[in-house]
Amino acid sequence: MLIGELARRTGTTTRALRFYEAQGLLRAQRSANGYREYDEDDLRLVTEIQALQTVGFTLDDTRPFVACLRAGHESGDSCVDSIEVYRRKLAEVDAFLGRLGAVRAELHGKLAEALTRQDESGHADPCVVAPSPSEEH
């Protein structure tokens, strides 16, 4: 298939596919007239790259998955290097969630302090909004 069809079938652009090729993630065959030609394996590679990017992986993160597929494995995460990327990304997400949890706790504390000051002053400030039920834990 030509680059336009691969772009259409994967829901991406020809520009993105050329970029993947420039990054060494995709390898096009060239026809006699110089057109890029791809096969079903390339379709699978692009689909894998897109799925990984959707969950926050960088293009560099996708390299072990692409290499695993190119090596003939059924899935891109069948190889040890891919599993290691999953572990690293999961550790990054866990650390980020920890930071978000700390920010959330700090915001809850600040809100509670503000509401206490408001209650002590005896008048409601229309600018202060009470926490929503989903924020009360």
Side-chain angles (χ1 to χ4, degrees):
M1 77 188 88
L2 297 178
I3 193 169
E5 182 180 350
L6 181 60
R8 183 185 53 76
R9 288 181 65 185
T10 58
T12 191
T13 64
T14 57
R15 183 177 179 181
L17 295 174
R18 285 190 290 273
F19 182 73
Y20 293 165
E21 185 178 352
Q23 296 300 305
L25 294 167
L26 194 59
R27 297 180 192 146
Q29 300 298 315
R30 295 290 184 149
S31 65
N33 60 6
Y35 290 163
R36 289 174 171 86
E37 293 182 341
Y38 301 94
D39 59 22
E40 294 300 314
D41 289 337
D42 297 312
L43 176 69
R44 221 167 129 211
L45 289 176
V46 173
T47 302
E48 181 85 3
I49 291 167
Q50 290 174 315
L52 292 167
Q53 285 191 300
T54 297
V55 295
F57 284 53
T58 66
L59 277 182
D60 279 342
D61 292 333
T62 69
R63 291 181 188 285
F65 297 86
V66 169
C68 194
L69 286 172
R70 279 197 183 128
H73 294 276
E74 186 65 28
S75 67
D77 59 8
S78 297
C79 300
V80 173
D81 290 344
S82 302
I83 298 299
E84 286 306 311
V85 173
Y86 277 152
R87 286 188 175 124
R88 181 179 49 78
K89 290 302 279 186
L90 188 56
E92 289 174 13
V93 168
D94 287 342
F96 185 70
L97 288 173
R99 289 190 303 274
L100 280 177
V103 168
R104 187 174 195 277
E106 181 72 19
L107 289 172
H108 271 286
K110 289 187 177 299
L111 177 61
E113 289 171 10
L115 291 173
T116 299
R117 281 192 305 275
Q118 183 183 40
D119 288 344
E120 290 171 355
S121 71
H123 67 326
D125 184 344
C127 295
V128 176
V129 178
S132 68
S134 66
E135 292 174 348
E136 295 174 352
H137 295 285

